[in-house]
Amino acid sequence: MEEKNSILVVDDEMGPREALRMILKNRYEVVTVDNGEHAMGHIHEKDFDVVIVDIKMAGMDGLQLLRRIKEARPDIEVVLMTAYASIETAKSALRYGALDYLIKPFDHRDVIDIVEKGAVKRKEHLRTREEIKRLHIATTELSKEVEAAKRSIESHYASTVKALLAAIDAKDQYTRGHSERVSRFSAFLAEKIGIPHDKILALEQAALIHDIGKIGVEGNILKKQGVLDLTEFEEIKKHPSIGARIIASVDFLQEMIPVILCHHERFDGTGFPERLKGAGIPLSARVVAVADAVDAMLCDRPYRSALALEHVREELSQMGGRQFDPEIVSVVLTGGLLECYSGIFDYQHIGG
Ligand SMILES: [Fe+2]
């Protein structure tokens, strides 16, 4: 059986109080009190749907009580009672959140209608509140699921990159360590030239596997100690395209393709595989190209020893605008960035 709505009647005169009880008792659970303080005590203890308040009461008057009820329980509907003389006061009280007013002496039908209206409105309030609560719980649950999915994607992403890195390392000894240094220097540079933070992580990961295409190049060419002949060099030149094809098959690694495909393009348009030029080369690839070359110069290679820092600076400034983006080169050459980078990695102990 549905529970009866609860009505609280507050009036310091017994007559109207009892009249309302008589009118409402068959339909509602009715509680009556004779002053505002008692009313607040009941409101704190019980969940009333509608409170009927006389405007003129000794002590706390009806308007004060209305204010206190709305502060404590904004969802409770309040109906004011007034004599003809105070109708204007009752009307203005509607602005403070009262639902309606009753004029003494009461019309039986008006009382039933107004209280019923209040009970319906309160029910709607409660339903809305429940709905908001339910939505809040659902949103919280959804956010948790999104977070978990994000963590899972990030973990898949990291382990895929790790697996690809291990594949290059197994094929080409030189890339071991080199990829990680290029990745870190690329991220360092990307930050200095103002690439947005949310793009830097992808750039860092792409730099880590920029040479992934080398797994498709013959091992003896990769491992050759001397200078490569023309045919061998043509083979090596295929690694950016091979890498891009490998990555193209992995949905969530697509944003790495520009770095992998274009890290050997040259600013003057003489690079490979597409002979892209200047700003036509993706910025991320221009960054990795510089980091890749700096790391290579600072390391011993089978065909030459590591270059001194001064020599690296010279090479970079000569190649700015030719092989490399001159703006990126100037960032590397200013503010002690190169010295800082070479200091982070102990290049004297890195073999080729
Ligand atoms: Fe490469």
Side-chain angles (χ1 to χ4, degrees):
M1 205 172 81
E2 203 180 332
E3 212 178 295
K4 275 184 175 176
N5 289 103
S6 300
I7 313 296
L8 177 65
V9 177
V10 192
D11 196 333
D12 54 356
E13 287 180 72
M14 192 196 281
R17 219 166 52 217
E18 287 311 309
L20 285 171
R21 184 205 295 279
M22 295 308 289
I23 296 169
L24 297 169
K25 70 175 186 183
N26 291 335
R27 293 167 180 255
Y28 305 101
E29 185 195 336
V30 183
V31 176
T32 62
V33 290
D34 61 3
N35 67 62
E37 289 301 341
H38 284 160
M40 286 312 296
H42 279 276
I43 283 165
H44 286 306
E45 279 171 16
K46 190 174 161 61
D47 207 17
F48 289 99
D49 297 288
V50 181
V51 182
I52 305 174
V53 178
D54 186 29
I55 288 185
K56 278 194 175 170
M57 287 191 294
M60 191 192 306
D61 70 19
L63 295 184
Q64 286 173 311
L65 179 57
L66 165 66
R67 223 168 1 246
R68 285 193 52 188
I69 294 171
K70 286 293 174 184
E71 272 169 23
R73 298 290 306 274
D75 55 305
I76 292 181
E77 295 300 339
V78 178
V79 175
L80 296 165
M81 279 187 281
T82 182
Y84 271 115
S86 307
I87 288 178
E88 285 312 312
T89 316
K91 280 183 182 168
S92 64
L94 299 184
R95 287 204 299 273
Y96 301 108
L99 173 74
D100 211 334
Y101 58 90
L102 288 165
I103 300 166
K104 294 179 189 175
F106 314 117
D107 176 85
H108 187 281
R109 198 60 250 168
D110 284 351
V111 173
I112 299 285
D113 287 350
I114 287 175
V115 170
E116 183 58 26
K117 182 169 83 176
V120 168
K121 204 163 170 207
R122 155 101 168 142
K123 207 179 221 172
E124 279 168 12
H125 268 311
L126 295 181
R127 208 180 294 131
T128 308
R129 200 166 65 184
E130 277 309 304
E131 188 62 11
I132 290 171
K133 206 153 90 185
R134 199 186 59 74
L135 282 174
H136 181 71
I137 292 169
T139 311
T140 311
E141 284 302 311
L142 201 63
S143 309
K144 278 186 199 160
E145 281 173 29
V146 169
E147 268 309 306
K150 213 171 117 195
R151 276 199 299 276
S152 160
I153 289 168
E154 281 168 359
S155 133
H156 278 106
Y157 188 85
S159 52
T160 306
V161 170
K162 213 167 156 187
L164 290 169
L165 189 60
I168 322 171
D169 281 355
K171 187 84 188 250
D172 182 11
Q173 286 281 329
Y174 166 65
T175 63
R176 196 163 296 162
H178 165 73
S179 307
E180 276 166 38
R181 292 190 303 274
V182 171
S183 168
R184 284 183 62 187
F185 192 37
S186 298
F188 197 43
L189 266 179
E191 208 180 323
K192 292 283 174 201
I193 63 172
I195 290 183
H197 260 272
D198 57 330
K199 303 270 181 221
I200 294 181
L201 182 66
L203 168 58
E204 199 174 359
Q205 299 286 305
L208 204 50
I209 54 167
H210 68 280
D211 272 338
I212 182 66
K214 284 188 176 172
I215 60 178
V217 175
E218 264 185 57
N220 54 358
I221 299 179
L222 291 176
K223 287 176 191 143
K224 187 172 174 181
Q225 297 288 309
V227 178
L228 301 175
D229 67 28
L230 214 59
T231 323
E232 290 164 339
F233 189 54
E234 284 305 315
E235 275 307 300
I236 283 278
K237 278 166 71 178
K238 291 177 184 168
H239 79 271
S241 310
I242 297 172
R245 279 202 300 280
I246 293 171
I247 295 307
S249 61
V250 188
D251 269 355
F252 57 94
L253 298 183
Q254 299 298 301
E255 58 184 332
M256 294 185 172
I257 291 176
V259 164
I260 291 163
L261 184 62
C262 306
H263 71 277
H264 284 291
E265 297 292 356
R266 292 171 55 114
F267 203 74
D268 60 7
T270 61
F272 59 90
E274 303 288 340
R275 298 177 74 87
L276 300 177
K277 196 174 176 179
I281 306 166
L283 179 60
S284 52
R286 279 179 267 152
V287 169
V288 173
V290 173
D292 191 17
V294 167
D295 187 74
M297 286 190 271
L298 288 169
C299 290
D300 284 331
R301 302 294 293 132
Y303 44 89
R304 59 141 177 83
S305 303
L307 305 187
L309 267 187
E310 216 25 64
H311 197 163
V312 175
R313 294 181 73 86
E314 221 170 276
E315 279 286 321
L316 280 176
S317 53
Q318 275 180 20
M319 298 314 276
R322 290 158 71 191
Q323 185 172 351
F324 307 120
D325 181 333
E327 284 180 33
I328 300 175
V329 166
S330 80
V331 169
V332 177
L333 295 180
T334 51
L337 201 72
L338 189 61
E339 288 71 14
C340 171
Y341 171 67
S342 66
I344 293 171
F345 299 103
D346 188 6
Y347 275 99
Q348 284 168 351
H349 296 98
I350 296 171

